[in-house]
Amino acid sequence: MAFIIRPLANLGVTPNMLTLVGLLLSGLTALVIAQGYLVAGGLLVLFAGIFDMFDGAVARVRQAATTFGAFFDSTLDRYSESIILFGLLWYVLQRPDLHEQLWPFGHEQLWMIVLVFVAVVGSLMVSYTKARAEGLGLECKTGLLARPERVVILAIGLIAGIEIWALVLLAVFSQVTALERMFYVWRITRRQERERPAPQLAPAPTTLASDQKSSARLNRDRERRARFLGRGRGRAGETQESPARPVPSHVPPLSGGMQQQE
């Protein structure tokens, strides 16, 4: 592939230009299939699928990979695949007497319409689950039926004339792939939640208020006890002096005789 990519890069072809060319090729493929040229349509599906890889290769060679380029490529890929399946739906709607020899059920046209719808929904969901996981910071490349596998299955079905069986595979396994990616993301996020440390719980406001009230009451009791003890010490330490009483200078029986000297 390098002998094709390098000349394109040297000519100044940008990855976004190749993405637009791939979309135009998908439109041409849808027109070919709608006209009933299923083998040619199958070959064009393969060519458009291979050409779709050129934009990424040119971006790597020119070192011109950008975030918008990746977004632009993924978005137009969804359009390209839906357009090709719409071409197949248009082919089916023009043939009410459609009959597949290897199909064991009747009403092949109705089956084909339903299968095309389910295949389109499955294709979009496969891409969406991956994009949504990457938006959450998770890598999600698991799954049975990515876009390259879907391109190959559809091309083989158109070339071999078993397009209804190709649609069965696309419809069933695209839904399985989407569910598989959903389960993968659920398992990864659940493991991350288990490994995350538990948050520290703050004390309840009522408990904090109760502790504050108890502390204030204890301080008041201590102050009262200190004041009471202080008063007691003051009374015990005081020495009250009795008032002096005059000593009589004479004794009543001897009041007329002898006088006591002071």
Side-chain angles (χ1 to χ4, degrees), residues 133-146:
E134 291 176 350
L136 297 174
L138 304 173
E139 186 178 7
C140 184
K141 295 183 178 180
T142 184
L144 297 173
L145 218 61

Side-chain angles (χ1 to χ4, degrees), residues 17-30:
M17 291 171 59
L18 292 176
T19 302
L20 288 173
V21 172
L23 180 64
L24 295 177
L25 279 175
S26 298
L28 177 62
T29 303

Side-chain angles (χ1 to χ4, degrees), residues 1-8 50-51 53-54 57-58 60-61:
M1 186 180 294
F3 69 92
I4 300 177
I5 298 301
R6 293 190 180 278
L8 290 175
I50 294 174
F51 191 87
M53 297 184 295
F54 287 176
V58 170
R60 288 189 294 270
V61 169

Side-chain angles (χ1 to χ4, degrees), residues 65-165:
T66 61
T67 303
F68 175 76
F71 167 79
F72 189 63
D73 179 50
S74 299
T75 303
L76 291 195
D77 283 348
R78 308 288 77 75
Y79 277 115
S80 298
E81 194 167 1
S82 300
I83 288 172
I84 292 175
L85 289 175
F86 177 75
L88 184 57
L89 177 63
W90 188 266
Y91 162 78
V92 172
L93 291 175
Q94 292 176 340
R95 288 164 175 79
D97 55 346
L98 183 65
H99 179 68
E100 293 284 343
Q101 295 181 356
L102 299 178
W103 185 250
F105 309 105
H107 307 286
E108 285 86 344
Q109 184 188 35
L110 180 60
W111 277 102
M112 290 277 286
I113 293 172
V114 173
L115 289 172
V116 168
F117 172 77
V118 177
V120 171
V121 174
S123 172
L124 296 176
M125 288 305 301
V126 168
S127 301
Y128 176 78
T129 49
K130 179 182 178 181
R132 190 70 183 94
E134 291 176 350
L136 297 174
L138 304 173
E139 186 178 7
C140 184
K141 295 183 178 180
T142 184
L144 297 173
L145 218 61
R147 188 166 188 269
E149 290 80 4
R150 297 196 300 269
V151 169
V152 172
I153 290 174
L154 181 60
I156 293 175
L158 292 172
I159 294 172
I162 52 173
E163 59 274 3
I164 190 169
W165 285 105

